[in-house]
Amino acid sequence: MAGKTALVTGSTSGIGLAIASGLAAQGVKIMLNGLGDPGEIEALRAEMARTYGIEVLFDGANLLRADEIGGLIGAIDAKLGGVDILVNNAGIQHVSPIESFPPEKWDAIIGLNLTSSFHTVRLTFEKMKTRRWGRIVNMASAHALVASPFKSAYVAAKHGLLGFTKTIALEGAEFGITCNAICPGYVKTPLVEKQIPDTAKARGMTEEQVIRDVLLAAQPTKEFVHVEDVAALAVFLCSDAGKAINGAPMSIDGGWVAA
Ligand code: NAD
């Protein structure tokens, strides 16, 4: 896949950053995207370009806005020759009982975790079809397959993203394009790490108890998934060896959905 171009959304931290690094290590040109401190993002971008000797650009498009997604794809077309590998990874979460779930949080979660992928695929698919090669990886979740209470918007968005994945898989199948969903369990990202001390304080537990009995209660290994493991799976799906995997929910959850 060396010489191809990848857009990894939400790649300024966590899973997206690991996937961008994994693809960069294969010689793929990278468009980073996400929110964050401009100085820190520039340092990440420069470091990735230097480490792997490839072109790495950054675009801070807010994926809640269709016009900014259009600008992002236009920038890749102009500067990097179009998107060959699309990783729809950006996502947010909000946890609340349904009766007090803020409607604006519902809209934002559906907007980022589901609708932004519709726009990125809509705007890149034709070029992939013309080239008769493309890889689309949608970052779903174990919550694309099973539910947990108080995560109504997230579970709905991730189930929707899996349905979208299957549809695009069928539309691209005869054009050398694959579209798959990765379904991680709990992954140790800064987002998750930050919750541990607060939850420990709130519940009067040790951090070890929070990890085992709260966060990883549903994950049979009782171990976090690591971002590098998710990245390796994404890279495999994008490789030539992954060409027959299409429309699949790829679980990487320590056995969560087996239970
Ligand atoms: P993270 O918070 O570390 O990263 C999220 C990324 O999305 C960041 O780069 C952030 O800047 C970006 N982002 C947020 N709002 C944005 C917006 N409006 N426009 C553009 N970018 C925006 O989270 P993560 O844990 O790495 O999660 C990445 C993906 O993996 C998400 O889709 C999440 O649902 C999924 N996931 C995470 C876990 C987990 O346990 N961490 C488990 C299953 C699935």
Side-chain angles (χ1 to χ4, degrees), residues 200-211:
K201 208 181 282 176
R203 296 189 180 226
M205 293 170 134
T206 65
E207 296 198 2
E208 289 67 33
Q209 285 171 321
V210 168
I211 291 170

Side-chain angles (χ1 to χ4, degrees), residues 67 218 254:
D67 58 336

Side-chain angles (χ1 to χ4, degrees), residues 16-108:
L17 179 58
I19 292 176
S21 301
L23 290 169
Q26 301 296 316
V28 174
K29 292 178 271 180
I30 304 292
M31 176 61 92
L32 296 170
N33 158 263
L35 311 178
D37 175 74
E40 284 174 22
I41 294 172
E42 173 50 23
L44 277 178
R45 187 206 63 74
E47 169 73 13
M48 195 180 287
R50 193 168 41 244
T51 305
Y52 301 109
I54 40 105
E55 203 168 350
V56 182
L57 302 181
F58 168 73
D59 187 304
N62 178 353
L63 303 184
L64 286 169
R65 296 184 51 119
D67 58 336
E68 294 196 20
I69 297 175
L72 168 64
I73 303 301
I76 301 171
D77 287 345
K79 296 175 189 167
L80 295 172
V83 177
D84 302 298
I85 296 170
L86 170 61
V87 182
N88 288 309
N89 168 77
I92 46 171
Q93 171 66 286
H94 184 77
V95 181
S96 167
I98 186 64
E99 59 274 27
S100 54
F101 208 99
E104 63 279 9
K105 294 277 187 201
W106 173 277
D107 287 344

